[in-house]
Amino acid sequence: MLRLILYRLFYGLLTLFVVSLVVFAATQALPSDPAQAILGREAADPARLEALRRELNLDQPLALQYWSWLSGVLVLDFGTSLSGGMPVSELLGPRIQASLSLMLITAVIAAPIAMAIGAFAALRRDRRFDHSSSMVTLVLAAVPEFAVGIVAILLLSTGGLKLLPAVYAGSSTEVLSNPDQLVLPVLTLAIAVSPPIIRMMRASMIEVLESEYVQQARLKGLPERTVIWRHAAPNAIGPVAQVIALQLGWLAGGVVAIEFLFNFPGIGKALMDAIEARNLPVIQAVTLLIAAVYVLVNLVADVVGLAANPKVRVSSR
């Protein structure tokens, strides 16, 4: 197990290194001049531009610029925002907390409900609820998350209902103080991440219910409720936990569109604002942060899968 974890950790770090190269190269290829963006068109005379470029190390070769940026990232120094001159880590701190709160609330609500729906569908296999849930999850899995958010706004925030606020109006430091404004973003993300969990839970539960040890438990005369909740469900959760971890990794990237749609003050909104303002340090920091979260969650998913399935551990040797 330790060897496999170290093996995946090495490839995770290698992936982050490649992502950092791609992010730096992509931002350098953007048709914008950071020094010009800081000074503005009117105040940017050639002398001041040249002095600011030297201060920002923009006059150095790209390889030295990349090394300077990467060495700062390794100590969590992402540079200075071009809008306002605030350190990027200080600017993103409250927004990261806001996004993590949104993701955590979504996971706590969506995962148990999705697992319950999947287990119930397995227990009602080939019945009306099973067919209906399978059809609904297939449709929801094919619909983009921002489309789900738009439909939620149309149904619950406009027209005759107007039950919930259409956008988030609070700040990034008071996320939990506005629960009514969190309902639509959380609902949208929960609908987006639930279909894979439901389908995996259904498939895993069906496989466990047809296993020999469950049949043996039934032959011993145990009540059906005991067979399901003490023997079947715990053994079906292992593969589902891996899918949940992968869906949490998806949340790190999928939250960008949802935060922009609902004006939520998280890292997704910060990324969209930075792209509009050509704020390269913020773009680089947020993109690398999302990639790091995705790699970390995939590592956790691999560990969960190895721990839950001995066959995988043996076959991986």
Side-chain angles (χ1 to χ4, degrees):
M1 280 289 293
L2 180 60
R3 182 174 61 87
L4 291 172
I5 292 173
L6 292 176
Y7 179 79
R8 281 162 170 75
L9 180 61
F10 169 76
Y11 275 97
L13 294 175
L14 181 61
T15 301
L16 284 179
F17 174 70
V18 174
V19 169
S20 70
L21 286 172
V22 174
V23 169
F24 183 81
T27 51
Q28 291 297 319
L30 290 174
S32 62
D33 184 355
Q36 183 80 50
I38 293 175
L39 295 177
R41 293 182 179 272
E42 297 180 357
D45 60 83
R48 296 185 62 186
L49 278 174
E50 186 65 25
L52 186 56
R53 288 193 183 102
R54 285 196 302 269
E55 182 180 348
L56 298 175
N57 298 322
L58 298 178
D59 58 334
Q60 297 180 356
L62 288 179
L64 291 179
Q65 292 185 43
Y66 171 74
W67 173 248
S68 177
W69 172 70
L70 183 62
S71 59
V73 169
L74 294 177
V75 295
L76 301 181
D77 180 9
F78 296 96
T80 303
S81 171
L82 302 184
S83 302
M86 180 184 298
V88 173
S89 55
E90 184 178 339
L91 173 67
L92 294 180
R95 293 175 177 268
I96 292 174
Q97 295 179 11
S99 292
L100 288 178
S101 299
L102 182 62
M103 294 168 59
L104 181 61
I105 294 172
T106 300
V108 169
I109 294 175
I113 294 177
M115 292 172 63
I117 294 174
F120 191 73
L123 296 175
R124 298 293 186 271
R125 184 180 181 183
D126 295 329
R127 297 184 185 179
R128 182 176 299 177
F129 180 84
D130 184 27
H131 293 306
S132 300
S133 62
S134 296
M135 183 180 300
V136 172
T137 53
L138 280 174
V139 172
L140 292 178
V143 178
E145 64 274 8
F146 66 85
V148 175
I150 292 173
V151 173
I153 292 174
L154 292 176
L155 293 178
L156 302 176
S157 298
T158 60
L161 292 179
K162 296 183 180 179
L163 298 177
L164 298 166
V167 295
Y168 186 87
S171 66
S172 57
T173 57
E174 53 183 19
V175 172
L176 300 180
S177 302
N178 302 285
D180 58 327
Q181 300 181 27
L182 289 175
V183 174
L184 285 184
V186 169
L187 177 64
T188 302
L189 290 173
I191 292 175
V193 302
S194 293
I197 301 175
I198 294 173
R199 297 183 67 81
M200 178 54 74
M201 185 64 188
R202 176 187 178 276
S204 181
M205 194 72 173
I206 289 175
E207 181 180 357
V208 171
L209 289 173
E210 294 177 348
S211 63
E212 293 182 359
Y213 61 86
V214 170
Q215 299 298 328
Q216 186 67 26
R218 285 171 172 163
L219 291 175
K220 289 181 178 180
L222 294 178
E224 186 67 15
R225 179 177 299 178
T226 302
V227 172
I228 292 173
W229 296 113
R230 290 191 180 180
H231 296 275
N235 290 282
I237 290 176
V240 180
Q242 191 173 15
V243 174
I244 293 174
L246 291 174
Q247 290 304 106
L248 291 179
W250 174 89
L251 277 177
V255 77
V256 173
I258 299 306
E259 288 185 356
F260 184 75
L261 177 64
F262 292 102
N263 197 39
F264 187 82
I267 59 172
K269 184 65 166 53
L271 177 60
M272 301 301 290
D273 292 341
I275 292 174
E276 183 178 358
R278 298 295 191 271
N279 196 341
L280 300 188
V282 176
I283 296 174
Q284 293 170 338
V286 175
T287 307
L288 193 61
L289 177 63
I290 292 174
V293 171
Y294 193 81
V295 168
L296 177 62
V297 171
N298 273 272
L299 176 63
V300 174
D302 286 341
V303 173
V304 170
L306 292 172
N309 192 347
K311 294 181 180 179
V312 177
R313 294 201 301 270
V314 174
S315 63
S316 300
R317 294 176 181 175

